[in-house]
Each structure stands twice: as structure tokens, then as C-alpha cells.
Amino acid sequence: MASGHFRRDFLPLSPRAFLRDFLAALRFRLEHRLGEYNAVQKTFYWGVLTAIVVMLVSGVAIWKPVQTYPLEALLGGFQGARFVHFLGMAGIVAFLAVHLALVALVPSTLIAMVVGRFGAAAPADKPAVASDVGEIG
């Protein structure tokens, strides 16, 4: 947060950009430049961060329901808090499953997922695209 990495990579984000990139992805026409996130990726990263916050809040409500009764009531009671907690966990598991599938389909992306970029940086005048993934690494 302090370095500006999050703001630089995950903002701005708009519904129009998400819809454009989502429809392009469905048609397998979404351009992907290494080191840049498209609107669909940005949205899902925001979603998993939201799921983590939901997990923490609902986890506290489940852990100490008597002491955190207002929070528990806000989540729909103890059973509601458990359900919200379950949905948050399911979202995180789905996010991880997509990343595991990407590693299985394109093993060279594992390095980028771990360190945040590919080991060999693309030249500034020629951005790498998704079709170059097999050539890098």
C-alpha cells in the first residue's frame, strides 16, 4: 500500500471496462500483456480481498458470538454469520482453484504468480503478450 503498487496495478476499475474485458475473454479475444492486469483480473483481486475481510469479520462473529452480538446480528444471527463465512471461504477456494488451473495449463506462469512478474522482463518498446508465455522462461 505504501509503495503505491496496489493503486497503480488495481485502479482505476470501471463496470464498462469489466464488461468489455469479460466479453472479450468469453470470445477468447482478450489481449493480455505480461505485468498488466485487465479489468476482469482487477475485479477478481478486489473480490478476493473483500472475501478475506468478510472471512475475518464473520470469523470474529462466530468465534465470540456473545461478546460480538451486534456484529452477529448484522450478519443475520449465528447461522447467518456461519453462512457468510462459508460463502467467503468458497470464494477464496474458487480464486485459488483458478490459479492452480492456470499453473496446470501454462506452467511458466507459476514464476509470475509467486514473484509478481516474469524473470526475464520484456523490452519496454515491445510489450509481451499472452502468446509469448511459452517463449519466456
Side-chain angles (χ1 to χ4, degrees), residues 26-85:
L26 289 177
R27 293 185 307 249
F28 298 104
R29 299 196 189 283
L30 181 62
E31 286 190 30
H32 180 71
R33 299 184 187 280
L34 298 177
E36 293 181 21
Y37 297 103
N38 59 52
V40 174
Q41 290 171 308
K42 290 178 184 182
T43 301
F44 282 105
Y45 275 101
W46 275 106
V48 79
L49 290 174
T50 302
I52 290 169
V53 171
V54 165
M55 291 291 297
L56 291 171
V57 170
S58 61
V60 168
I62 293 168
W63 177 51
K64 296 282 187 174
V66 174
Q67 290 87 346
T68 60
Y69 179 74
L71 182 59
E72 179 190 334
L74 182 67
L75 295 171
F78 185 77
Q79 292 300 328
R82 287 181 63 207
F83 185 69
V84 167
H85 196 74

Side-chain angles (χ1 to χ4, degrees), residues 7-22:
R7 177 183 37 80
R8 185 176 55 251
D9 285 349
F10 297 107
L11 293 174
L13 181 62
S14 69
R16 181 176 293 181
F18 173 80
L19 186 60
R20 179 194 65 229
D21 287 352
F22 185 74

Side-chain angles (χ1 to χ4, degrees), residues 110-128:
L110 179 61
I111 296 167
M113 287 183 200
V114 173
V115 299
R117 66 187 186 294
F118 278 87
D125 57 337
K126 181 187 176 273

